[in-house]
Amino acid sequence: MTDSSAETTTDSADIQTELDRDIGLVGAVALGVGTMIAAGIFVLSGLAVSNVGAAAIVSFLAAALVASFTAFAYAEFAAIYPESGGGYMYVANVFDTDLTYIVGWSMILGYPASAAFYLASFSDWFYRFIYPALSIPQAIPYWIAGLVVLALLVGVNLKGTEETGLFQIVVTGLKVALIILFLYGGLQGFDASVVTSSMTENLNDLRQLGLTTALVFITFFGFEAIATNAEEIEKPSENIPRAIFISMGFVTVIYALVVVVIVLAVNNGEFLEFLAQQAGLSGSEAAKNFVAQNGEISMGRAAQYYLGDFGFYVIIVGALFSMLSAANATILAGSRVKLAMARRNHLPEQFEDLHPSLNTPYKSVLLTGGLITFYMLVFTVLLGTPPGAEEGATMGVNNFLSSLGLGLHVPHVFHLGLHAVTHFADFMLLGGLIFVNLALIQSRRKRPNIDRGFTVPFVPWVPIIAVVANLVLLVNVEPKAFVVGLLAQVIGVGFWFAWKSTDPEETQFERETPTVVTEREPSDGREYQLAVPIANPEHVEQMMQTAIDIAEDRDGELLVLSAALVPEQTPISESYRSVDDEREVLRKAMSYAEDSDVPVNGIVRIGHRASDAILHTVEQHDCDAVLIGWRGRGSHRREVVLGSTVDRVVKESPCDVLVEKIGSQSADTDSVLVPTAGGPHAELASKAARAVAHAEDATVEVAHVVSPLASESERESAREIVAETAALIDDVSVTQSLLEGENVADTIVERTDDHDLTVIGATRESELQQLVFGALPETVGQRADSTIIMTKRHLDITSRLAQWLP
């Protein structure tokens, strides 16, 4: 055998795809509070009060309760999977299917929509309150401020998470102090009768309560921002659950108090007169109508009334920074979802790239910024109306078309605005949360004994309640936003199929399970190639001997595979650390072929699942067969027969499959038993038996089991089957036998004691009647003490229906 050379196919830049953990508990709480106390408290609290008065407290509490049920699931998952990606990553880790792409798609659209709401609110307040204060010309479009801030935030996120986390802590601390100042001023004139009266008047309007609860739900989504950045949070199993519940509990109390203050203000005659003067309105009645139509600035005007002009501008500046920090946290979380999707091959690989010097997922950040810009322009500029415009005012797109002198007009039915982008964000995010709760139930069933760090009580009831609650909010989303959300999902499915149709299968394999080491030996163009995955070092010699015997018989070559595996929650890049160990396993296996004439190539692949590494190798290298080892024990799980890896390889390999269980006694192979019932799988078994027997100078017994009560015609048919199989085994000594027994499996297992090796083909039942090889080979494999090889011919059946029918 010639000297082999190691080849690394992934450069060092790709190996360093890890994000430093530099966000502590305080930073994690700041992420949550910073996202929840933002445009939600300064804008949505006023909108909620204009919708349902003091009953807005009920809407906020209901939204918080619904969010809390799902936050339980996030707390448990974040402790198990401390990896960036949040809800998408949890669902993807539990459900091994590409359908989880839809969850990721919902998240990568929902996060930017949330940020667009925050920045559109920023533009609104900046235009109404800062333009006049700084004498900024009204001719400068109101949305310019939001886009400028967006560019700054994208730059901050490109810089890195350490700067982002510190920035988040400082800004969050400042705005909490400002809100406490606002509450101090507003609660001085607390009147319980005003609050209870407003509550009573609105509690019966269930439809408005439902719409308002759906509207304000976005304010409590900060818990997702915490979990999504799990990969960068210190001690995630401890800090993430703590941060989630600390931030949610604190924010819920703050929101209830803010609603009380706003209710007190809008029901105060003196405040209404003050507002009429400030806004140039005719009187208190006009002020009431103004509040109803401009609820998003109610808190700002209330602050001006309670705290005076100085306090007013302090609150305004605090509100603007609050919206800014929420948008920042959302951009951070949204970019990490894209990074996680790229790692899972659910987005193009470019979005997994980290900046060579900043070590940030800069392409994901830029895409998030682009989506936010799109939402702001479409929802609030083109299909929205300027701040303070009367209801039914001309949309921005129509003003633009008129300025061009075109006779086109977009009907007002397409009007969206701030409400719509908020509801759209809720629609996309709620859909993802439903799947997260379903994933929690499946996780408990799939991995009941895993160390969870934090455990949700009363599963499955808590996640079931969460699913129902999220569905209730989902159907209460504004109809226009609901339709736009459905359209966005259709576009997502279309993008998936369009992208995958242009992504070569081999490229996909290398992204999911990269080849990091290749040991090559010159080949003389042999047509037959047998893949040999190596897992148990103790059985390497026996496995390689079997593989060499088969390859020599077919004048073929071997492809030896070793997989460097890491847990699902760990990035692929982590497994590069164990490549050297796998390289040694590979070289040891290949060394057994040094004295043979069989060319041997070897590769090390990395990934999360051994079955993926094996199947990708077999498909990518177009192998003719795969020989995989089996420990010889069944599984307590009903759907698993030989083990999840072996089962999947047997079922999905696009080639012949041989599964070898090493016997309890290691000895030379002097005799081989071939039980046969005819058919293509028995034919493969006979060829494998012939290869081993020829190489080891062993004898072969071909046998068929008949009932003691079998008729002569039945016995004759059995002899014909045995003879046909024996004819395939030439150049070795073969005997033909009819074995009598009431139970076929028992009879064959008993006969295996007389032989060193048994080779048995899969039974010919349909998939409705068998799980992997069929009941007979699996029973023999599990019960026999000697070495067993089970074979399954690849029949290239393209119709799934044909596989499921007898």
Side-chain angles (χ1 to χ4, degrees):
M1 180 176 178
T2 60
D3 292 335
S4 301
S5 62
E7 178 180 305
T8 302
T9 60
T10 306
D11 58 41
S12 59
D14 290 331
I15 294 176
Q16 303 299 324
T17 56
E18 300 176 35
L19 299 170
D20 294 331
R21 296 190 185 276
D22 48 30
I23 301 177
L25 177 60
V26 175
V29 171
L31 276 173
V33 173
T35 306
M36 289 186 265
I37 296 184
I41 201 164
F42 293 103
V43 175
L44 293 184
S45 56
L47 287 173
V49 170
S50 67
N51 287 344
V52 292
I57 295 175
V58 176
S59 291
F60 276 108
L61 290 176
L65 183 62
V66 173
S68 296
F69 280 117
T70 300
F72 271 114
Y74 271 78
E76 178 168 318
F77 275 132
I80 301 172
Y81 307 115
E83 181 179 357
S84 292
Y88 159 75
M89 183 54 63
Y90 307 149
V91 176
N93 282 333
V94 174
F95 297 108
D96 186 18
T97 170
D98 283 334
L99 292 177
T100 56
Y101 159 81
I102 295 297
V103 178
W105 179 261
S106 299
M107 296 292 181
I108 66 173
L109 294 187
Y111 273 119
S114 301
F117 159 66
Y118 300 139
L119 292 175
S121 299
F122 180 96
S123 297
D124 189 321
W125 276 47
F126 195 88
Y127 182 79
R128 292 180 192 249
F129 301 128
I130 303 300
Y131 267 43
L134 299 181
S135 300
I136 298 176
Q138 297 289 308
I140 298 178
Y142 67 92
W143 42 266
I144 289 295
L147 292 182
V148 170
V149 168
L150 173 60
L152 293 174
L153 293 179
V154 168
V156 169
N157 278 272
L158 290 174
K159 177 65 176 173
T161 57
E162 184 172 0
E163 293 80 1
T164 303
L166 179 60
F167 173 83
Q168 196 72 31
I169 292 171
V170 172
V171 173
T172 299
L174 288 174
K175 68 184 176 184
V176 168
L178 293 176
I179 291 171
I180 292 175
L181 175 64
F182 170 78
L183 293 175
Y184 173 78
L187 292 174
Q188 295 297 311
F190 178 76
D191 186 344
S193 63
V194 172
V195 178
T196 55
S197 175
S198 177
M199 179 80 73
T200 304
E201 289 176 6
N202 293 280
L203 272 180
N204 293 328
D205 193 346
L206 297 180
R207 174 57 180 163
Q208 277 299 320
L209 279 173
L211 283 170
T212 305
T213 302
L215 177 71
V216 303
F217 179 79
I218 193 175
T219 63
F220 294 100
F221 204 66
F223 69 82
E224 230 281 356
I226 297 171
T228 299
N229 292 283
E231 194 172 353
E232 297 145 82
I233 294 177
E234 299 172 353
K235 299 179 181 178
S237 63
E238 298 177 11
N239 287 337
I240 290 176
R242 291 175 182 174
I244 286 176
F245 292 110
I246 289 172
S247 58
M248 289 196 68
F250 177 76
V251 167
T252 302
V253 173
I254 292 293
Y255 268 102
L257 293 175
V258 168
V259 167
V260 168
V261 172
I262 295 175
V263 169
L264 292 172
V266 300
N267 286 278
N268 185 326
E270 293 181 2
F271 168 75
L272 293 175
E273 291 179 5
F274 169 81
L275 179 59
Q277 293 176 1
Q278 293 294 322
L281 304 173
S282 58
S284 296
E285 195 62 34
K288 284 184 178 181
N289 293 330
F290 180 84
V291 169
Q293 294 180 14
N294 298 272
E296 63 269 21
I297 62 167
S298 295
M299 183 176 176
R301 290 304 182 189
Q304 188 175 17
Y305 172 72
Y306 288 123
L307 301 175
D309 286 343
F310 175 77
F312 165 67
Y313 282 109
V314 168
I315 293 296
I316 294 302
V317 172
L320 293 175
F321 272 101
S322 171
M323 299 168 192
L324 183 151
S325 69
N328 173 69
T330 309
I331 292 171
L332 179 63
S335 64
R336 296 318 185 257
V337 174
K338 296 173 183 65
L339 174 63
M341 291 184 70
R343 286 173 171 174
R344 287 273 180 168
N345 197 29
H346 285 166
L347 277 183
E349 60 183 338
Q350 290 85 350
F351 296 108
E352 189 178 0
D353 294 345
L354 300 184
H355 193 278
S357 59
L358 300 175
N359 203 36
T360 56
Y362 64 106
K363 293 180 180 178
S364 293
V365 172
L366 292 174
L367 175 60
T368 302
L371 288 172
I372 296 170
T373 303
F374 173 80
Y375 289 140
M376 290 177 63
L377 294 178
V378 172
F379 277 83
T380 64
V381 178
L382 295 177
L383 298 180
T385 51
E390 296 292 332
E391 187 174 355
T394 303
M395 292 183 293
V397 65
N398 287 328
N399 289 331
F400 177 72
L401 293 174
S402 297
S403 68
L404 296 178
L406 300 175
L408 300 176
H409 180 80
V410 178
H412 195 74
V413 69
F414 292 106
H415 179 268
L416 295 176
L418 195 62
H419 277 81
V421 72
T422 309
H423 278 281
F424 172 76
D426 283 335
F427 176 90
M428 303 307 295
L429 297 175
L430 282 166
L433 297 187
I434 289 171
F435 283 99
V436 170
N437 284 286
L438 293 174
L440 177 62
I441 298 173
Q442 178 63 14
S443 174
R444 291 292 186 89
R445 294 175 178 173
K446 185 177 180 181
R447 309 177 74 181
N449 299 319
I450 191 174
D451 182 13
R452 287 180 155 76
F454 175 85
T455 303
V456 176
F458 308 116
V459 173
W461 301 113
V462 168
I464 287 174
I465 293 172
V467 168
V468 173
N470 286 324
L471 281 172
V472 170
L473 288 186
L474 192 63
V475 299
N476 277 287
V477 165
E478 189 178 76
K480 288 181 183 178
F482 194 96
V483 172
V484 174
L486 290 178
L487 179 61
Q489 294 291 16
V490 171
I491 293 173
V493 173
F495 169 77
W496 170 266
F497 285 106
W499 167 47
K500 285 298 181 180
S501 65
T502 61
D503 195 14
E505 192 174 60
E506 183 170 330
T507 302
Q508 294 182 40
F509 293 161
E510 283 299 329
R511 289 177 57 192
E512 295 174 15
T513 53
T515 302
V516 291
V517 174
T518 304
E519 298 280 354
R520 303 183 183 279
E521 178 174 287
S523 174
D524 50 7
R526 303 191 183 191
E527 295 183 357
Y528 183 86
Q529 182 172 239
L530 174 64
V532 189
I534 299 298
N536 188 341
E538 296 179 2
H539 296 159
V540 169
E541 183 176 5
Q542 176 66 47
M543 290 283 296
M544 286 300 298
Q545 188 57 59
T546 301
I548 292 168
D549 291 346
I550 294 173
E552 283 183 335
D553 188 70
R554 299 293 299 270
D555 192 24
E557 62 184 18
L558 298 181
L559 178 61
V560 182
L561 163 69
S562 184
L565 304 177
V566 291
E568 291 282 357
Q569 66 268 26
T570 306
I572 289 280
S573 57
E574 288 284 344
S575 54
Y576 283 91
R577 299 176 180 178
S578 61
V579 166
D580 289 341
D581 294 337
E582 298 304 324
R583 189 198 306 266
E584 292 306 313
V585 173
L586 187 71
R587 287 178 172 169
K588 178 181 178 181
M590 296 175 67
S591 68
Y592 289 109
E594 290 180 349
D595 296 331
S596 72
D597 295 327
V598 177
V600 183
N601 299 319
I603 63 174
V604 174
R605 297 192 86 124
I606 63 173
H608 294 301
R609 292 173 292 276
S611 56
D612 282 341
I614 296 169
L615 290 171
H616 290 172
T617 301
V618 168
E619 294 185 44
Q620 188 173 345
H621 292 270
D622 195 24
C623 296
D624 298 282
V626 56
L627 171 66
I628 185 171
W630 172 44
R631 60 186 179 180
R633 297 192 301 272
S635 172
H636 65 278
R637 291 166 53 190
R638 185 173 181 180
E639 75 277 14
V640 177
V641 179
L642 308 180
S644 57
T645 298
V646 179
D647 281 9
R648 188 172 174 217
V649 171
V650 174
K651 291 178 180 179
E652 299 182 22
S653 288
C655 63
D656 296 342
V657 179
L658 300 93
V659 175
E660 182 170 11
K661 185 206 77 172
I662 308 300
S664 57
Q665 296 181 352
S666 58
D668 295 334
T669 303
D670 296 322
S671 62
V672 180
L673 173 66
V674 183
T676 183
H681 304 306
E683 178 183 352
L684 178 61
S686 65
K687 290 185 177 180
R690 177 199 174 281
V692 174
H694 187 269
E696 304 297 326
D697 194 24
T699 60
V700 177
E701 178 186 8
V702 179
H704 182 88
V705 179
V706 295
S707 169
L709 302 178
S711 65
E712 185 55 37
S713 61
E714 291 174 333
R715 292 173 182 269
E716 185 59 33
S717 296
R719 293 189 189 97
E720 291 177 2
I721 292 173
V722 170
E724 289 174 0
T725 301
L728 299 173
I729 306 175
D730 53 1
D731 296 335
V732 296
S733 174
V734 180
T735 60
Q736 303 178 30
S737 304
L738 291 186
L739 307 178
E740 290 190 355
E742 294 289 349
N743 183 284
V744 177
D746 289 345
T747 305
I748 294 176
V749 169
E750 183 179 352
R751 195 66 163 187
T752 60
D753 293 337
D754 299 330
H755 298 276
D756 303 309
L757 170 67
T758 299
V759 187
I760 183 172
T763 51
R764 290 186 290 180
E765 297 116 331
S766 68
E767 289 191 14
L768 287 174
Q769 299 166 300
Q770 65 169 338
L771 291 173
V772 180
F773 283 100
L776 177 60
E778 290 154 11
T779 300
V780 173
Q782 291 172 359
R783 293 172 52 189
D785 290 330
S786 59
T787 298
I788 305 293
I789 297 177
M790 294 177 283
T791 65
K792 191 171 187 178
R793 175 76 78 184
H794 178 58
L795 301 178
D796 195 23
I797 300 176
T798 57
S799 168
R800 295 297 301 170
L801 181 61
Q803 290 180 313
W804 280 88
L805 294 178

